Amino acid sequence: MARYTGPACKLCRREGTKLFLKGDRCLSGKCALDRRPNVPGPHTANRKAPKEYGMQLREKQKARRYYGVLEKQFKGYYEKAEKMEGITGENLLILLERRLDNVVYRMGMADSRREARQLVIHGHFRLNGQKVNVPSMIVRAGDVVTLREASRSSEKFKTLIEGLNTRVIPKWIDLDKDQVIAKINALPTREDVDFPFEEHLIVELYSK
């Protein structure tokens, strides 16, 4: 299964914004973007401001990296969003929000989407009672995501469960914090995407 294995903090520095790829570390003084806000690579001080194409490309890369999706897969999401009713850019973000690894992160069972991806791959979660290990699965309204019973005894999940009371769970996920059962009570909307994307730039890029 293809995935990015390079340094996560380098991606935040390249996009010039925190993508929260390392969970709480991104909010601490250890954040690489706070210590080295310049773009990685040589001669960064002499780089000119991006033009129209550059702005569109950076917005696409920002969304792709925020959700942990590779290029070919991201384009597939865009093509699917384009065929759906409604606004293409909003459809794209909603599809990305509906990824299983994102749902696991949103329900507070991982410190980052990168970690959520790994936990899903390792089989710690069930979807509608069935074992799943594919992070890119798209959830539907009415689906139920649960933590595998055998995983509840691990120190990692004990810590995450104890911290659920301080986590903000989006309204489209109905979470039983004691049993760690999340029901998708509705599909997310554009307002549920809490990162300031300018999705129209992504649409303009793919429309060329």
Side-chain angles (χ1 to χ4, degrees):
M1 183 179 293
R3 61 190 176 95
Y4 175 76
T5 58
C9 294
K10 191 174 183 179
L11 301 182
C12 294
R13 289 176 57 209
R14 180 62 189 90
E15 302 308 331
T17 186
K18 293 186 180 185
L19 301 176
F20 303 100
L21 303 179
K22 286 197 170 182
D24 292 340
R25 181 187 175 93
C26 299
L27 303 175
S28 71
K30 295 181 179 180
C31 176
L33 185 63
D34 292 337
R35 293 185 287 110
R36 301 176 64 190
N38 58 300
V39 176
H43 312 300
T44 56
N46 298 325
R47 292 186 178 179
K48 298 179 180 180
K51 296 184 179 180
E52 181 182 31
Y53 174 78
M55 294 173 61
Q56 295 166 352
L57 178 63
R58 293 268 57 86
E59 199 65 23
K60 186 262 292 183
Q61 294 292 74
K62 189 189 304 180
R64 189 173 68 76
R65 290 165 171 170
Y66 181 75
Y67 286 102
V69 178
L70 295 181
E71 183 63 44
K72 184 177 180 180
Q73 196 173 24
F74 190 87
K75 186 175 182 180
Y77 284 126
Y78 177 82
E79 291 173 350
K80 185 174 181 179
E82 197 173 25
K83 296 175 183 177
M84 297 167 60
E85 293 184 2
I87 302 173
T88 300
E90 293 185 4
N91 291 340
L92 173 62
L93 295 180
I94 290 171
L95 279 173
L96 293 168
E97 278 288 310
R98 291 170 58 192
R99 282 174 54 98
L100 180 58
D101 55 357
N102 181 72
V103 172
V104 168
Y105 169 71
R106 291 291 196 186
M107 61 189 280
M109 284 291 95
D111 291 327
S112 67
R113 289 178 179 83
R114 284 166 63 98
E115 183 179 72
R117 177 188 176 94
Q118 288 300 102
L119 294 175
V120 172
I121 290 173
H122 292 161
H124 290 289
F125 294 91
R126 300 286 184 263
L127 179 62
N128 299 326
Q130 302 296 316
K131 179 180 178 179
V132 289
N133 58 6
V134 182
S136 60
M137 290 187 69
I138 301 295
V139 301
R140 298 180 174 84
D143 281 352
V144 177
V145 180
T146 56
L147 176 64
R148 187 182 65 169
E149 190 63 33
S151 301
R152 294 175 66 94
S153 59
S154 74
E155 292 301 318
K156 170 66 178 178
F157 284 110
K158 284 181 179 178
T159 301
L160 288 169
I161 292 171
E162 290 173 359
L164 283 179
N165 290 329
T166 62
R167 294 290 294 262
V168 178
I169 310 300
K171 61 184 179 181
W172 55 279
I173 298 177
D174 183 13
L175 178 65
D176 183 331
K177 296 181 179 179
D178 294 325
Q179 300 299 320
V180 195
I181 298 175
K183 182 177 181 180
I184 311 303
N185 55 32
L187 296 183
T189 64
R190 177 62 182 87
E191 288 70 30
D192 294 314
V193 180
D194 55 6
F195 194 90
F197 290 114
E198 295 184 64
E199 61 271 20
H200 67 278
L201 293 177
I202 303 175
V203 177
E204 291 171 6
L205 176 67
Y206 280 116
S207 299
K208 290 182 179 296

